[in-house]
Each structure stands twice: as C-alpha cells, then as structure tokens.
Amino acid sequence: MRRKLLPLAGLYLVQGLPYGLQSGLLPVLLRARGLSLTRVGLAKVLYLPWLFKLVWAPLVDTRGSLKAWLVLSTAALGLVCGLLAALPPAEAGPTGLPVTVAGLLLLLNLGAAVQDVALDTLAVQLLEPAELGPGNTVQVVAYKLGAVLAGGGLLALVPTLSWPLLFLLLAATYWLAAALVWAAPALQQLPASGPSEAPLRSLHLLQDLLAMPGTLWTAGFVLTYKLGEQGASSLFPLFLLDHGISTRELGLWNGVGAVVCSIVGSSLGGALLARHR
C-alpha cells in the first residue's frame, strides 16, 4: 500500500500549493498594501475553475491517459509559476492585482482543478476498498500540508525571500513532481480511459444522485458550512493584520498552527474510518 500512497501524497501536496498561496499569502499581501476588504474579497473570483470542474471532468475521464493528464497539468502549473516569478505584486499599484497577474493566477487554479480530477480518478483506481481510509487521510493531510507550505510557510518567509524567488521555488517543485509522476512505478500500469459515452453516463449518475432522498439537504448543509468556514478563515487573518500582527506572526500562528490542528483532526478521522468502517 505504501508504494501507492507515497506518489498520491506527493501529488496532493503540490495540488494544495495554489490554494494556500491564494487563501493565505495573497490576501495578506494585498491588505498590507492598503487594499480594501472588498477588493481583497473579489480576488476569490480566481477560484472559479474549481466551481466548473464538472465541465471538463468528462473530458479528463475519456480522452488520453490519466498519467498524461497528471504530467501535463503539473508541468503547466510549474510554467505558470515561472511566469508569475517575473510579475511581483509590488507592481500592481493601489487598485489591486494587475490583469496579467490575475489571469495567471486564474490559470494556476485551472491547472490545479484539472489535476484534481485526474488525481481523484487515479486514487479510486489504485486503492482497494480496505485502503480508502488511509488513502483519504493521505489526500486530506497532504493537500492541507501543501496549503500551509504555500500559505503560512511562505508568508513567514516573505520578509526574507523575494516574490520572484518564492515562485521560482514553486515552479521547481511542480516540475519535480511532474518528473516523479512520469517515473513512479505505481503509475506505470494505469487503465485506459473509459468509452466516449462516459460524459452522458456521468450526467445520468448526477441526476440519480440528486434524486436520492437527503441529497439536496446535505448539499445545502455543506454549502452553508463551507461559506461560514471560508468567510471566517479569510477575514480573521486580515483582522489580525489590521490590529498590528506582523506577516511573520500571521504565517506562524494562523497559517502553520491552524493547519497543524486541522491535519491532526483529519488524521484522527481517517484512523477512525479505517478502524470502524
């Protein structure tokens, strides 16, 4: 099982980097430059590719191989980070992010969302039913670890490292991950993509899911919970910044400390699932 979980952990870790960058690092940098909370909040529009994953998920499932999708999407993330290294946010001016930087961040989310579809499909195909508990723990913990490294970790290093160097480090990380995907033994014998009618079948499955009793109630509950969670986690660091907390302290306590607690909870949940499934 370890030979399956290790490559999955590495891929989910690098997948969490864009989220940590834009949820932990970018809002604090923008607020520190004097942008209003409204303009900082509008940067959340860059998450739109995650909302529309259903549009290209059938394409990923039915065209090409999962390995090709993973390698290309991960390498593309490295390319976008390399381009962002040449566009530090200090050049944005007082009104917000420049259009070029915003467009590249949107592409960063698009690449991570495509990678997410291929990676979740890969995890389902690789893991046996008895391995789903540990696999889910690896997924959540590695993703959050990537988020805290790109969010709280980089935030703590901002006074020391420049924006270009930070993005060059991210680019190197993505390219290394793409090379590991290409060479990982556990990913050499992946099954081929499904038949061309899979998108229609996916639509029928979605209709069946929505028709199940309790689905809409559960979806509404999760949506309400996530809205509250995202609202609190996004505004609380800015509240601390406005009251004199330094970016280094924010990176340490609100970034690293909070996610460490979240990782402990996720690990405990995965252990309980594996034990009592």
Side-chain angles (χ1 to χ4, degrees):
M1 182 172 62
R2 181 176 298 177
R3 64 187 296 269
K4 300 179 184 178
L5 295 182
L6 285 178
L8 289 177
L11 288 171
Y12 277 114
L13 186 145
V14 299
Q15 188 186 101
L17 296 177
Y19 176 79
L21 173 72
Q22 295 180 63
S23 66
L25 178 65
L26 187 61
V28 174
L29 289 178
L30 294 177
R31 185 60 175 168
R33 292 174 53 248
L35 267 70
S36 67
L37 293 176
T38 300
R39 290 189 177 275
V40 174
L42 287 175
K44 296 291 184 180
V45 175
L46 299 174
Y47 292 135
L48 279 178
W50 291 94
L51 184 62
F52 294 105
K53 282 197 302 181
L54 286 174
V55 175
W56 55 78
L59 179 65
V60 175
D61 284 338
T62 59
R63 296 290 187 271
S65 67
L66 288 176
K67 182 177 177 179
W69 280 107
L70 285 172
V71 171
L72 291 176
S73 60
T74 306
L77 288 170
L79 176 61
V80 174
C81 286
L83 295 174
L84 281 167
L87 298 168
E91 300 174 1
T95 58
L97 288 172
V99 175
T100 305
V101 174
L104 288 173
L105 290 173
L106 190 66
L107 289 177
L108 197 68
N109 279 306
L110 176 60
V114 171
Q115 185 198 49
D116 179 63
V117 174
L119 187 52
D120 286 346
T121 305
L122 169 67
V124 171
Q125 292 181 356
L126 281 182
L127 300 176
E128 301 294 334
E131 299 170 340
L132 292 179
N136 186 68
T137 302
V138 166
Q139 173 194 17
V140 175
V141 171
Y143 184 88
K144 290 182 177 179
L145 181 60
V148 71
L149 288 175
L154 292 184
L155 191 62
L157 294 176
V158 163
T160 304
L161 298 177
S162 65
W163 176 272
L165 181 56
L166 293 178
F167 268 104
L168 287 176
L169 290 175
L170 289 176
T173 301
Y174 279 122
W175 288 327
L176 176 61
L180 292 177
V181 171
W182 184 259
L187 308 182
Q188 298 301 319
Q189 300 296 328
L190 293 177
S193 300
S196 58
E197 64 268 22
L200 183 59
R201 184 167 60 88
S202 300
L203 180 60
H204 290 318
L205 289 174
L206 180 60
Q207 292 173 340
D208 293 340
L209 175 64
L210 293 176
M212 291 181 62
T215 296
L216 293 179
W217 181 90
T218 304
F221 175 81
V222 172
L223 177 62
T224 304
Y225 163 75
K226 293 301 292 183
L227 286 174
E229 179 194 32
Q230 288 298 314
S233 62
S234 299
L235 292 177
F236 186 61
L238 305 182
F239 172 81
L240 294 177
L241 185 67
D242 289 345
H243 284 74
I245 301 296
S246 68
T247 56
R248 185 182 293 272
E249 291 173 314
L250 278 178
L252 178 62
W253 296 110
N254 190 70
V256 179
V259 176
V260 165
C261 294
S262 179
I263 288 175
V264 171
S266 299
S267 302
L268 178 60
L272 292 174
L273 175 64
R275 183 176 180 180
H276 300 291
R277 68 178 299 275

